[in-house]
Amino acid sequence: YFKKVRLRRFTRHKQSLTSLGMGAQKAALAILDKENDPDMKNENGAELLMKSTASLSDRIDYLDSAKGIFIIFIIMGHHLLGVDPFKRYLYSMGVTPFFLISGFLYAHRKEWEQPFRQNCIRKIQKFLYPYVTFSVINLLWNILYYKVVYPEVAPEVSFLKMILLTVSTYGYHAMWYLPCVMWGTLLFFALRRSRHHGLLWAALAVGSVMIYILLDERMSGLGIISYIYSYLFRIAVAVVFLYAGSVLYGVFQALDR
């Protein structure tokens, strides 16, 4: 009877690990296996699981610090007055460092090794929920600002266009980032699972640069075509820098050795 109880508990804990990274799963499962060991009967399975997964909640301090600094840079780049070289430098970085950091963390957790379908669903939920929430807040704020506070000021685009940009996940104003990193992440996972992911990444990187040089200026002012081009180009660039972040993680690992 007690053997069956331990087996059921082990199976339940094992299933709860599906949302964790592969490295963490292996570490946790190795400890959970000890629960079935006759010499480890005095150990509590739940405590073992908590010990094995405790390190998952540990944040990487230097990456948190880097993200904080880059957030300040983005705010300064958008709000500093004038067009001095320092502002242009800050503005030119944009959100690129965040793509690099995300790729670095994906490589640290080997997230592309998890079941692809479940991983995609989890990432869509992770990015789509805040996108929808803050997009609604953004739309309500614009309606309040232009209809109530300053009705004499005309909005940049019509409210219908704001809604269409939001629903299409193109994003209105700063809200473009979340769907961009969401689709970029899914494509990055698909790319990374390919046997020839390095060659595909190089082709995507070179292709993105060539498209920008040859087509970027020509694509402006073409209505919906311009939006489609911008939307796809953003995602392609996101994939390029996510992969670059994963390569950077490999470099750090090599240096640590």
Side-chain angles (χ1 to χ4, degrees):
Y1 170 79
F2 289 108
K3 184 177 181 181
K4 290 181 180 179
V5 170
R6 287 198 303 272
L7 182 60
R8 282 199 299 270
R9 290 171 58 195
F10 173 77
T11 304
R12 187 168 61 252
H13 294 322
K14 198 171 184 178
Q15 290 173 348
S16 69
L17 294 174
T18 56
S19 62
L20 305 178
M22 294 299 292
Q25 287 185 37
K26 292 177 182 178
L29 290 175
I31 296 178
L32 284 174
D33 281 331
K34 295 179 181 180
E35 189 181 4
N36 287 340
D37 192 328
D39 297 330
M40 301 293 292
K41 285 183 180 180
N42 59 330
E43 295 285 348
N44 182 278
E47 292 177 357
L48 286 169
L49 180 61
M50 291 177 64
K51 291 178 183 178
S52 66
T53 58
S55 60
L56 295 177
S57 60
D58 295 339
R59 306 186 65 88
I60 302 178
D61 292 337
Y62 61 84
L63 290 183
D64 284 340
S65 300
K67 284 186 284 187
I69 292 171
F70 289 127
I71 288 172
I72 295 172
F73 281 176
I74 289 176
I75 295 172
M76 293 173 64
H78 278 81
H79 294 285
L80 281 178
L81 297 177
V83 288
D84 57 274
F86 181 62
K87 178 180 178 179
R88 288 202 301 268
Y89 173 72
L90 293 179
Y91 194 78
S92 66
M93 285 192 297
V95 296
T96 301
F98 295 96
F99 290 133
L100 290 171
I101 292 172
S102 294
F104 188 97
L105 291 173
Y106 291 154
H108 175 66
R109 300 165 184 153
K110 294 291 187 292
E111 292 199 30
W112 56 79
E113 295 181 359
Q114 300 178 25
F116 185 72
R117 182 173 176 274
Q118 296 176 3
N119 212 10
C120 288
I121 293 174
R122 187 166 61 252
K123 291 301 178 184
I124 289 173
Q125 292 174 342
K126 176 181 178 180
F127 291 110
L128 210 54
Y129 288 163
Y131 171 73
V132 171
T133 301
F134 287 103
S135 290
V136 171
I137 295 173
N138 190 27
L139 290 172
L140 293 176
W141 164 253
N142 278 276
I143 293 173
L144 177 66
Y145 184 86
Y146 290 111
K147 292 293 187 182
V148 179
V149 181
Y150 293 106
E152 68 278 6
V153 179
E156 296 178 355
V157 298
S158 66
F159 292 113
L160 177 60
K161 192 170 184 178
M162 292 181 191
I163 295 173
L164 290 176
L165 291 174
T166 300
V167 172
S168 66
T169 68
Y170 183 92
Y172 179 62
H173 276 180
M175 297 312 302
W176 68 270
Y177 174 75
L178 287 173
C180 178
V181 72
M182 179 184 73
W183 297 122
T185 295
L186 300 186
L187 289 176
F188 166 70
F189 287 160
L191 172 70
R192 200 59 181 76
R193 292 167 70 91
S194 170
R195 291 170 53 189
H196 307 291
H197 54 82
L199 291 175
L200 292 174
W201 171 73
L204 182 62
V206 173
S208 299
V209 172
M210 296 301 296
I211 289 173
Y212 180 80
I213 294 173
L214 298 175
L215 298 179
D216 195 66
E217 292 185 0
R218 299 180 182 180
M219 284 295 176
S220 61
L222 297 180
I224 191 172
I225 296 177
S226 299
Y227 282 103
I228 294 174
Y229 162 76
S230 176
Y231 187 68
L232 296 178
F233 186 77
R234 287 174 180 175
I235 296 172
V237 171
V239 176
V240 169
F241 283 102
L242 285 168
Y243 191 96
S246 70
V247 172
L248 186 63
Y249 175 80
V251 173
F252 273 57
Q253 290 292 97
L255 292 175
D256 284 341
R257 297 192 192 101

